[in-house]
Structure formats: C-alpha cells, structure tokens
Amino acid sequence: MTARKVIFDTDPGIDDACALALIAASPALELVGITSVFGNAPVETTTRNALYLRRRYGLAVPVARGAARPLACPPRDFPAFIHGRNGLGDTHLPGLEETGQDPADRPHALDAAHFIVEQLRAAPGEITLIAVGPLTNLAMALDLDPAITALAAEVVVMGGAFGTAGRAGNVSPVAEANIYNDPHAADRVLTAPWPVRLVGLDVTTLCVMSGAYMAALRDRAPGIGGFLYDITRFYEGLYRSRDGIDGINAHDALAVARAIDPTLFTERRGPVRAVTEGIAIGQTIQQVEGVLYPPGPWDNLPSQSICLTADNERFLRLYADTLAAWEAKRG
C-alpha cells in the first residue's frame, strides 16, 4: 500500500505532540512537512515545539513557521492553563529552550502559507493537509493561490462542534477552540471547493486516553510512550479537575486516525459555515444534505463531511500498536 503524503499544520500543544507521534509512526502516512501556527501558545513557542518534536521523533522534514495572529479578530489569550507555559505541559525537556538556535535546526525559508502552496503544486492530488490548530495558514494559502483547492487530496481538520453528542463547544457554549481562534479563516477554508473532513468535539470528547492507557503505552514502548506519558501529566490534571475525566481526550490524534483509516468513523455531509461575529462567534453549522430550507448563506457551497461517531476501541488499539511497532523497529 502506498503511503499517503501529509502536511501537518499544528500549534504544539500536548495533543498535537501525541498526534505527530502517530504520523511519525504510521506506515500509512508519509510526512512531507510541518507548518506551525499560533493557538495553544504563541507562534514562536509552537514553532520551537515543532522543531523540538521533529528532532525528538527523528523526522527529516521541513518545519515552516506560520501565522502569529488571526486574519481579522483581535488576538486572544493563550491557554497556558491547558498546555503549560512551554506548550508541552511545563515538562522539563532538556534542549527544548535551546531548540532553533543552531542554524541547521531552524524553520524553512518559506512561511507556512507559501510552503503549503509550493508542496501542493509539486505533488498535485497527492497531499492531504491535516490541520489541528486555527486554520489561518490554510486560509492564507488559499488567498495566495485559490487553485490549490484542485491540488489537495483532502483536508482533515480537528475542529468544530455540531452538538450531535451533546457537546457543542469548549470555549463557549457553541464554539470549539480552533475555529473560535480564527473564525474568518475557518469559514474561508470550510467553504472552499476542496474536500474537508471535520473531526470535531462530537467525537473527540468521547474518546479518552486514560491514565492507565498512557501508563501501559509507557511500559510497552518506553521511549515514545514514556515521553508522551510525561507531557500528558499536566494535561490529565486539567481534565480531571475541570471535566472529571480520568485521562485526556484524543483530539488531534483522532484527526490523524481519520487520514489513516476512514472506516473508524461515520460521517454526515452538507455545506459547513463558521460564524464570524456575535455571541455565537466560532460556531460551526452544517446544512445537512437532503434537508430543504429557504435560500440562505449555505447555498451553492460544497458539501463537506463531519464525523458523527468514532470506533474508540479500534482507535486506541491502532494508536498503541502503531507506536509500539515503530519503537521496536527503531530499536
């Protein structure tokens, strides 16, 4: 089976680090680049973390620095209470603070938007964009070259919330953080004529990587599993105190799993918009295919897919087995 080429657009972030580990480990995926964006931390921090994770995971791919702020909204505060001040759970990671100082360990010469356009043009129809932060880089790439919608294989987004499982938002009653952090970019990306798959809170909040699961992964694959166990201690503490969950939600890793094995999910199709102003800013709304309404702002837009359910047991097995096999192969 030919591996699927992917660009990982990310704001690392603890769950981003978990997701990138799955990309690195999966034989089903071929990573061709990482693009950073503001979100879980300032872009200076997320870029440094992307460079650090590239080295930690032994990846020989470019890291292109991306957007530092939303397209139109004022910048928002960064959630240090979720991901720590260093973006990786305030875990002591030797070499993290020095990352990027060596000329050989610096970001790519192109910014993220230009890098995305360059890569899609070099491999038309071959690259999937996996976006797990605000969608600013993708929107800027569309502005640079609208024709890239015909060049991307698909766009898999960890973002949005549609209330199908009773969870409609995590930063407001109706908004998920990645969409809320740049709703104008999200609306631009979701209404563009390329295939988008949204892996939102409807499925990610129902998938828990428990403390026992992470400990078992640490014991089974001490290198990568031990690293992920360490950086998720801070994250798990937040989930326990705030949500009463023994573990963490597998947000970004589920988006990667969608690129690896679509059969893990059931989906619903229809045009999707992101609300860009008012008390519902950041809300994602789908007009379901086949349901008729009077003329409105969803008309003549491409149908996109949102995930309704995920097979969590199969996903958790896929994640652990893939990382354990990768570590065994690396020795």
Side-chain angles (χ1 to χ4, degrees), residues 276-316:
T276 57
E277 60 185 350
I279 63 171
I281 190 169
Q283 183 178 16
T284 46
I285 305 172
Q286 184 182 52
Q287 179 174 296
V288 180
E289 276 187 354
V291 180
L292 300 179
Y293 297 95
W298 288 265
D299 294 349
N300 303 313
L301 294 176
S303 277
Q304 310 294 13
S305 296
I306 70 166
C307 290
L308 297 178
T309 66
D311 189 328
N312 295 331
E313 186 174 322
R314 282 178 59 205
F315 162 74
L316 292 171

Short mmCIF file of all heavy atoms in Angstrom, two decimals, residues 276-316:
data_model
loop_
_atom_site.label_atom_id
_atom_site.label_comp_id
_atom_site.label_asym_id
_atom_site.label_seq_id
_atom_site.Cartn_x
_atom_site.Cartn_y
_atom_site.Cartn_z
N THR A 276 -18.80 34.25 12.23
CA THR A 276 -17.65 35.15 12.34
C THR A 276 -17.90 36.38 13.21
O THR A 276 -17.01 37.23 13.34
CB THR A 276 -17.19 35.62 10.94
OG1 THR A 276 -18.30 36.25 10.28
CG2 THR A 276 -16.70 34.44 10.12
N GLU A 277 -19.07 36.50 13.82
CA GLU A 277 -19.32 37.65 14.69
C GLU A 277 -20.47 37.32 15.64
O GLU A 277 -21.19 36.35 15.46
CB GLU A 277 -19.66 38.89 13.87
CG GLU A 277 -20.89 38.73 12.99
CD GLU A 277 -21.11 39.95 12.11
OE1 GLU A 277 -20.45 40.98 12.31
OE2 GLU A 277 -21.97 39.88 11.21
N GLY A 278 -20.60 38.15 16.68
CA GLY A 278 -21.70 37.99 17.61
C GLY A 278 -21.43 37.00 18.71
O GLY A 278 -20.32 36.47 18.84
N ILE A 279 -22.45 36.72 19.51
CA ILE A 279 -22.25 35.85 20.67
C ILE A 279 -21.97 34.41 20.28
O ILE A 279 -21.45 33.64 21.10
CB ILE A 279 -23.46 35.91 21.63
CG1 ILE A 279 -24.73 35.38 20.94
CG2 ILE A 279 -23.66 37.31 22.17
CD1 ILE A 279 -25.90 35.21 21.91
N ALA A 280 -22.28 34.02 19.05
CA ALA A 280 -22.02 32.65 18.59
C ALA A 280 -20.76 32.57 17.74
O ALA A 280 -20.57 31.59 17.01
CB ALA A 280 -23.21 32.13 17.80
N ILE A 281 -19.87 33.55 17.85
CA ILE A 281 -18.65 33.54 17.04
C ILE A 281 -17.88 32.23 17.24
O ILE A 281 -17.73 31.75 18.37
CB ILE A 281 -17.76 34.77 17.36
CG1 ILE A 281 -16.62 34.90 16.35
CG2 ILE A 281 -17.25 34.71 18.80
CD1 ILE A 281 -15.88 36.23 16.44
N GLY A 282 -17.44 31.65 16.15
CA GLY A 282 -16.73 30.38 16.22
C GLY A 282 -17.60 29.15 16.09
O GLY A 282 -17.08 28.04 15.97
N GLN A 283 -18.91 29.31 16.12
CA GLN A 283 -19.79 28.15 15.97
C GLN A 283 -19.70 27.60 14.55
O GLN A 283 -19.58 28.35 13.58
CB GLN A 283 -21.24 28.54 16.26
CG GLN A 283 -22.22 27.37 16.20
CD GLN A 283 -23.64 27.77 16.55
OE1 GLN A 283 -23.99 28.96 16.56
NE2 GLN A 283 -24.49 26.81 16.84
N THR A 284 -19.73 26.29 14.43
CA THR A 284 -19.79 25.64 13.12
C THR A 284 -21.20 25.08 12.92
O THR A 284 -21.74 24.41 13.80
CB THR A 284 -18.75 24.52 13.00
OG1 THR A 284 -18.77 23.71 14.19
CG2 THR A 284 -17.36 25.09 12.81
N ILE A 285 -21.76 25.34 11.74
CA ILE A 285 -23.13 24.94 11.44
C ILE A 285 -23.15 24.26 10.09
O ILE A 285 -22.63 24.80 9.11
CB ILE A 285 -24.09 26.15 11.42
CG1 ILE A 285 -24.00 26.93 12.74
CG2 ILE A 285 -25.52 25.70 11.17
CD1 ILE A 285 -24.76 28.24 12.73
N GLN A 286 -23.74 23.08 10.05
CA GLN A 286 -23.86 22.33 8.81
C GLN A 286 -25.31 22.32 8.34
O GLN A 286 -26.22 22.05 9.12
CB GLN A 286 -23.37 20.89 8.98
CG GLN A 286 -23.38 20.08 7.69
CD GLN A 286 -22.94 18.65 7.89
OE1 GLN A 286 -23.47 17.96 8.77
NE2 GLN A 286 -21.98 18.18 7.10
N GLN A 287 -25.51 22.60 7.06
CA GLN A 287 -26.80 22.37 6.43
C GLN A 287 -26.77 20.96 5.88
O GLN A 287 -26.04 20.68 4.91
CB GLN A 287 -27.08 23.37 5.32
CG GLN A 287 -28.42 23.13 4.63
CD GLN A 287 -28.76 24.21 3.63
OE1 GLN A 287 -28.93 25.37 3.98
NE2 GLN A 287 -28.85 23.83 2.35
N VAL A 288 -27.50 20.05 6.50
CA VAL A 288 -27.42 18.63 6.17
C VAL A 288 -27.96 18.38 4.77
O VAL A 288 -29.01 18.91 4.38
CB VAL A 288 -28.19 17.79 7.21
CG1 VAL A 288 -28.11 16.30 6.87
CG2 VAL A 288 -27.65 18.06 8.61
N GLU A 289 -27.21 17.60 4.01
CA GLU A 289 -27.65 17.25 2.66
C GLU A 289 -29.04 16.63 2.69
O GLU A 289 -29.36 15.80 3.53
CB GLU A 289 -26.68 16.26 2.02
CG GLU A 289 -25.48 16.89 1.37
CD GLU A 289 -24.65 15.86 0.61
OE1 GLU A 289 -24.96 14.65 0.69
OE2 GLU A 289 -23.68 16.26 -0.06
N GLY A 290 -29.88 17.06 1.74
CA GLY A 290 -31.20 16.48 1.61
C GLY A 290 -32.28 17.15 2.43
O GLY A 290 -33.47 16.85 2.26
N VAL A 291 -31.91 18.06 3.32
CA VAL A 291 -32.89 18.82 4.11
C VAL A 291 -33.07 20.17 3.44
O VAL A 291 -32.10 20.90 3.21
CB VAL A 291 -32.42 19.00 5.56
CG1 VAL A 291 -33.45 19.79 6.37
CG2 VAL A 291 -32.16 17.64 6.21
N LEU A 292 -34.30 20.53 3.11
CA LEU A 292 -34.58 21.72 2.33
C LEU A 292 -34.89 22.91 3.24
O LEU A 292 -35.63 22.78 4.22
CB LEU A 292 -35.75 21.47 1.38
CG LEU A 292 -35.54 20.34 0.36
CD1 LEU A 292 -36.78 20.18 -0.52
CD2 LEU A 292 -34.31 20.60 -0.50
N TYR A 293 -34.31 24.06 2.90
CA TYR A 293 -34.54 25.31 3.61
C TYR A 293 -34.77 26.42 2.58
O TYR A 293 -34.41 26.28 1.41
CB TYR A 293 -33.32 25.68 4.47
CG TYR A 293 -33.00 24.70 5.56
CD1 TYR A 293 -32.06 23.68 5.35
CD2 TYR A 293 -33.63 24.77 6.79
CE1 TYR A 293 -31.76 22.78 6.36
CE2 TYR A 293 -33.34 23.87 7.81
CZ TYR A 293 -32.40 22.88 7.59
OH TYR A 293 -32.11 21.98 8.58
N PRO A 294 -35.33 27.54 3.02
CA PRO A 294 -35.37 28.70 2.11
C PRO A 294 -33.96 29.13 1.75
O PRO A 294 -32.98 28.74 2.40
CB PRO A 294 -36.09 29.78 2.96
CG PRO A 294 -36.81 29.03 4.02
CD PRO A 294 -35.98 27.81 4.30
N PRO A 295 -33.81 29.95 0.70
CA PRO A 295 -32.47 30.41 0.32
C PRO A 295 -31.71 31.02 1.49
O PRO A 295 -32.30 31.72 2.33
CB PRO A 295 -32.76 31.46 -0.77
CG PRO A 295 -34.07 31.03 -1.34
CD PRO A 295 -34.85 30.47 -0.19
N GLY A 296 -30.41 30.72 1.56
CA GLY A 296 -29.63 31.20 2.69
C GLY A 296 -28.14 31.12 2.43
O GLY A 296 -27.70 30.79 1.31
N PRO A 297 -27.32 31.40 3.46
CA PRO A 297 -25.87 31.51 3.28
C PRO A 297 -25.13 30.19 3.07
O PRO A 297 -23.92 30.19 2.92
CB PRO A 297 -25.40 32.20 4.57
CG PRO A 297 -26.46 31.88 5.57
CD PRO A 297 -27.75 31.80 4.81
N TRP A 298 -25.86 29.06 3.06
CA TRP A 298 -25.22 27.78 2.76
C TRP A 298 -25.41 27.37 1.31
O TRP A 298 -24.85 26.38 0.87
CB TRP A 298 -25.78 26.68 3.67
CG TRP A 298 -25.34 26.78 5.09
CD1 TRP A 298 -24.28 26.14 5.68
CD2 TRP A 298 -25.93 27.58 6.11
NE1 TRP A 298 -24.19 26.49 7.00
CE2 TRP A 298 -25.19 27.38 7.31
CE3 TRP A 298 -27.02 28.44 6.16
CZ2 TRP A 298 -25.50 28.01 8.50
CZ3 TRP A 298 -27.33 29.09 7.35
CH2 TRP A 298 -26.57 28.87 8.50
N ASP A 299 -26.19 28.16 0.56
CA ASP A 299 -26.50 27.79 -0.82
C ASP A 299 -25.26 27.84 -1.70
O ASP A 299 -24.38 28.70 -1.53
CB ASP A 299 -27.56 28.74 -1.40
CG ASP A 299 -28.90 28.60 -0.70
OD1 ASP A 299 -29.07 27.63 0.07
OD2 ASP A 299 -29.77 29.46 -0.93
N ASN A 300 -25.20 26.89 -2.64
CA ASN A 300 -24.15 26.86 -3.67
C ASN A 300 -22.74 26.71 -3.09
O ASN A 300 -21.76 27.12 -3.71
CB ASN A 300 -24.22 28.11 -4.55
CG ASN A 300 -25.57 28.28 -5.21
OD1 ASN A 300 -26.12 27.33 -5.77
ND2 ASN A 300 -26.14 29.48 -5.12
N LEU A 301 -22.66 26.12 -1.91
CA LEU A 301 -21.36 25.83 -1.30
C LEU A 301 -21.09 24.34 -1.36
O LEU A 301 -22.03 23.52 -1.39
CB LEU A 301 -21.33 26.31 0.15
CG LEU A 301 -21.41 27.81 0.37
CD1 LEU A 301 -21.46 28.13 1.86
CD2 LEU A 301 -20.23 28.52 -0.28
N PRO A 302 -19.83 23.93 -1.36
CA PRO A 302 -19.52 22.50 -1.44
C PRO A 302 -19.95 21.76 -0.18
O PRO A 302 -19.86 22.29 0.93
CB PRO A 302 -18.00 22.47 -1.61
CG PRO A 302 -17.54 23.76 -1.02
CD PRO A 302 -18.61 24.76 -1.32
N SER A 303 -20.40 20.54 -0.35
CA SER A 303 -20.68 19.68 0.80
C SER A 303 -19.38 19.21 1.41
O SER A 303 -18.45 18.82 0.69
CB SER A 303 -21.52 18.47 0.39
OG SER A 303 -22.89 18.80 0.33
N GLN A 304 -19.31 19.27 2.73
CA GLN A 304 -18.17 18.76 3.48
C GLN A 304 -18.66 17.68 4.43
O GLN A 304 -19.86 17.54 4.66
CB GLN A 304 -17.47 19.89 4.23
CG GLN A 304 -17.14 21.12 3.41
CD GLN A 304 -16.11 20.88 2.30
OE1 GLN A 304 -15.77 19.75 1.96
NE2 GLN A 304 -15.61 21.96 1.71
N SER A 305 -17.72 16.93 5.00
CA SER A 305 -18.08 15.82 5.89
C SER A 305 -17.73 16.15 7.33
O SER A 305 -16.65 16.69 7.61
CB SER A 305 -17.32 14.55 5.48
OG SER A 305 -17.70 14.12 4.19
N ILE A 306 -18.66 15.85 8.24
CA ILE A 306 -18.37 15.95 9.67
C ILE A 306 -18.48 14.56 10.28
O ILE A 306 -19.31 13.75 9.88
CB ILE A 306 -19.30 16.94 10.39
CG1 ILE A 306 -20.73 16.39 10.48
CG2 ILE A 306 -19.29 18.29 9.69
CD1 ILE A 306 -21.62 17.14 11.45
N CYS A 307 -17.60 14.27 11.22
CA CYS A 307 -17.62 12.96 11.88
C CYS A 307 -18.71 12.93 12.95
O CYS A 307 -18.79 13.84 13.79
CB CYS A 307 -16.27 12.66 12.50
SG CYS A 307 -14.98 12.34 11.29
N LEU A 308 -19.52 11.89 12.92
CA LEU A 308 -20.59 11.72 13.89
C LEU A 308 -20.23 10.74 15.00
O LEU A 308 -20.59 10.94 16.15
CB LEU A 308 -21.87 11.24 13.19
CG LEU A 308 -22.48 12.16 12.15
CD1 LEU A 308 -23.70 11.49 11.54
CD2 LEU A 308 -22.85 13.50 12.77
N THR A 309 -19.54 9.66 14.63
CA THR A 309 -19.11 8.66 15.62
C THR A 309 -17.71 8.18 15.27
O THR A 309 -17.27 8.28 14.12
CB THR A 309 -20.05 7.43 15.66
OG1 THR A 309 -19.96 6.73 14.41
CG2 THR A 309 -21.49 7.85 15.92
N ALA A 310 -17.02 7.65 16.27
CA ALA A 310 -15.71 7.04 16.07
C ALA A 310 -15.67 5.74 16.85
O ALA A 310 -16.25 5.63 17.94
CB ALA A 310 -14.60 7.97 16.54
N ASP A 311 -14.99 4.75 16.30
CA ASP A 311 -14.80 3.47 16.99
C ASP A 311 -13.60 3.65 17.92
O ASP A 311 -12.45 3.44 17.53
CB ASP A 311 -14.55 2.36 15.98
CG ASP A 311 -14.55 0.97 16.62
OD1 ASP A 311 -14.14 0.87 17.80
OD2 ASP A 311 -14.93 0.01 15.93
N ASN A 312 -13.87 4.06 19.15
CA ASN A 312 -12.80 4.42 20.08
C ASN A 312 -11.92 3.23 20.44
O ASN A 312 -10.70 3.37 20.58
CB ASN A 312 -13.40 5.03 21.35
CG ASN A 312 -14.09 6.35 21.07
OD1 ASN A 312 -13.73 7.06 20.13
ND2 ASN A 312 -15.10 6.67 21.85
N GLU A 313 -12.50 2.06 20.58
CA GLU A 313 -11.71 0.88 20.94
C GLU A 313 -10.69 0.56 19.85
O GLU A 313 -9.51 0.31 20.12
CB GLU A 313 -12.63 -0.31 21.19
CG GLU A 313 -11.92 -1.54 21.70
CD GLU A 313 -12.88 -2.65 22.08
OE1 GLU A 313 -13.96 -2.35 22.62
OE2 GLU A 313 -12.54 -3.82 21.82
N ARG A 314 -11.14 0.61 18.60
CA ARG A 314 -10.22 0.35 17.49
C ARG A 314 -9.17 1.45 17.38
O ARG A 314 -8.00 1.18 17.09
CB ARG A 314 -11.00 0.25 16.18
CG ARG A 314 -11.70 -1.09 15.97
CD ARG A 314 -12.50 -1.07 14.66
NE ARG A 314 -11.63 -0.80 13.50
CZ ARG A 314 -12.08 -0.27 12.37
NH1 ARG A 314 -13.34 0.12 12.25
NH2 ARG A 314 -11.23 -0.08 11.37
N PHE A 315 -9.57 2.70 17.60
CA PHE A 315 -8.60 3.79 17.54
C PHE A 315 -7.52 3.61 18.60
O PHE A 315 -6.32 3.75 18.31
CB PHE A 315 -9.28 5.15 17.75
CG PHE A 315 -8.29 6.21 18.13
CD1 PHE A 315 -7.42 6.75 17.18
CD2 PHE A 315 -8.17 6.65 19.45
CE1 PHE A 315 -6.47 7.71 17.54
CE2 PHE A 315 -7.23 7.60 19.81
CZ PHE A 315 -6.38 8.13 18.85
N LEU A 316 -7.91 3.33 19.83
CA LEU A 316 -6.93 3.20 20.91
C LEU A 316 -5.98 2.04 20.64
O LEU A 316 -4.78 2.12 20.93
CB LEU A 316 -7.65 3.02 22.25
CG LEU A 316 -8.41 4.25 22.75
CD1 LEU A 316 -9.27 3.90 23.96
CD2 LEU A 316 -7.46 5.39 23.07
#
